[in-house]
Amino acid sequence: KLSVNRSRRSVIRTATFLVVATAFFGAALLVGSNSASANHPVLVEGNCDSPVPGTTIVAPGTCGDFDGDGRIGTAEDTDGADRIFGTLNAALGPGTGAAAGTGANFNGKIIIVTSGRFAEALYIGQAGLIAGQPGGTANPSNVEIEAAPGVEANIDAILQGDPAGGNVTRTNQIGIFVVYPAGVTGLVSLRNLQIRNFSEGIAAALSSRVHIDHCRIENNLNYGIHAIDNTQISITNSQITATGRRTGVGASTTTAGDGLLVQGAAKARVSDSTFSHNTGNGIINSGIGTVNLFKVGSFFNGVDTAGNVTIAANPNFSN
């Protein structure tokens, strides 16, 4: 009987400890954090463009402020070595100021943890290859940019109110420009993003390898996605729509509004995606490479498919 009572007391003490420990550590995990922050090196906060577009100081915990310090946008980029940034370009680079050495430096994973609009164009690749592109690094590697589940990340050339006067410049740029030369074997992965109102939504040049998954690319002026040279691009579970139908800033409609343009020796593999309402071609291969489609819808475009485009009968469509 004594042994039984001791055993019962031991069980009660153990259960009490587990309840207290769970409450303590559970609360600690919830403060300034969430499930999106696990197992990755760089976080990016969103922003609400409020109360005035371009605002960087807000009430703590509001307007996309993930870590509760009252800073968003550029104010979050250099406030400390916390691996939390307010702009995608700052997160993509090495980090500056108090955040020096904490950015992805074109080699790592970037997760957008709160919803927001990012009025910025990104250059991902080797420095010095493209005139007018000051970004990049000497040796870019694997780069992943994605929005966490439930987060709406809108990379948009047009910012309401245009506080810094950058709308016209951005609308003449490429939203995400990937340039990896031969010999640089890194992969750029883009997931769960919206890319809008640029001259081209996504472009890949030289020997880049790009994977686009669960993205919406819309209202870009000339091309939704543009693959040239010897690039390899895969597109899954995405929508490319309304290319050539941008309005409001500069030129609006163009007859060259192609959803996907593949040129040179570039190759594209597309599955479970739709191309619609593009003013030019939905999908066009004008080069010597290959474009293979599986479970792809192309409709309500000027021309739905053009050039050397193969409709695959099964998902094993690498050839």
Side-chain angles (χ1 to χ4, degrees):
K1 189 177 294 185
L2 179 61
S3 176
V4 170
N5 287 338
R6 285 176 177 172
S7 177
R8 286 175 178 171
R9 285 196 295 271
S10 177
V11 169
I12 292 171
R13 283 196 299 270
T14 301
T16 302
F17 171 78
L18 289 174
V19 169
V20 172
T22 300
F24 175 80
F25 288 110
L29 288 171
L30 288 173
V31 175
S33 180
N34 64 23
S35 60
S37 66
N39 300 321
H40 67 87
V42 179
L43 304 178
V44 177
E45 296 178 337
N47 58 79
C48 62
D49 296 337
S50 178
V52 177
T55 295
T56 58
I57 304 299
V58 296
T62 67
C63 203
D65 176 25
F66 177 76
D67 58 358
D69 64 358
R71 296 179 175 90
I72 60 173
T74 55
E76 185 63 55
D77 289 338
T78 58
D79 68 334
D82 55 6
R83 292 191 178 272
I84 299 176
F85 292 83
T87 67
L88 292 169
N89 273 294
L92 183 61
T96 59
T102 65
N105 197 27
F106 298 89
N107 181 20
K109 189 169 186 176
I110 297 168
I111 293 189
I112 302 165
V113 291
T114 52
S115 296
R117 178 165 52 181
F118 301 90
E120 48 186 315
L122 303 180
Y123 176 83
I124 307 174
Q126 194 170 92
L129 294 177
I130 305 295
Q133 294 288 351
T137 185
N139 187 29
S141 187
N142 297 310
V143 174
E144 299 178 62
I145 302 176
E146 66 178 84
V151 170
E152 183 171 336
N154 190 353
I155 302 174
D156 198 335
I158 299 177
L159 178 61
Q160 181 181 357
D162 196 15
N167 281 353
V168 173
T169 298
R170 285 189 298 269
T171 53
N172 288 308
Q173 293 176 327
I174 298 168
I176 298 180
F177 194 9
V178 182
V179 184
Y180 281 33
V184 177
T185 59
L187 173 70
V188 174
S189 298
L190 307 170
R191 298 187 186 92
N192 196 26
L193 305 173
Q194 292 189 40
I195 303 169
R196 309 178 68 246
N197 290 317
F198 292 92
S199 173
E200 303 180 23
I202 298 171
L206 298 184
S207 294
S208 302
R209 293 170 175 83
V210 181
H211 179 54
I212 300 166
D213 181 50
H214 282 93
C215 288
R216 183 174 180 85
I217 302 163
E218 61 186 4
N219 298 112
N220 298 289
L221 188 62
N222 295 312
Y223 311 115
I225 300 172
H226 189 188
I228 61 175
D229 300 323
N230 292 293
T231 59
Q232 297 176 4
I233 189 165
S234 58
I235 304 166
T236 56
N237 307 296
S238 295
Q239 295 79 46
I240 297 84
T241 185
T243 311
R245 299 185 186 278
R246 189 185 73 194
T247 60
V249 174
S252 55
T253 302
T254 175
T255 57
D258 298 329
L260 168 64
L261 172 62
V262 178
Q263 294 180 303
K267 298 178 180 179
R269 302 291 183 269
V270 189
S271 66
D272 300 286
S273 298
T274 58
F275 296 76
S276 66
H277 300 95
N278 301 289
T279 60
N281 300 281
I283 301 166
I284 177 171
N285 180 11
S286 65
I288 61 172
T290 56
V291 175
N292 283 23
L293 313 178
F294 178 71
K295 292 186 177 179
V296 171
S298 186
F299 48 85
F300 298 143
N301 305 289
V303 176
D304 289 329
T305 61
N308 181 20
V309 176
T310 300
I311 310 300
N314 61 72
N316 300 312
F317 58 102
S318 62
N319 294 316

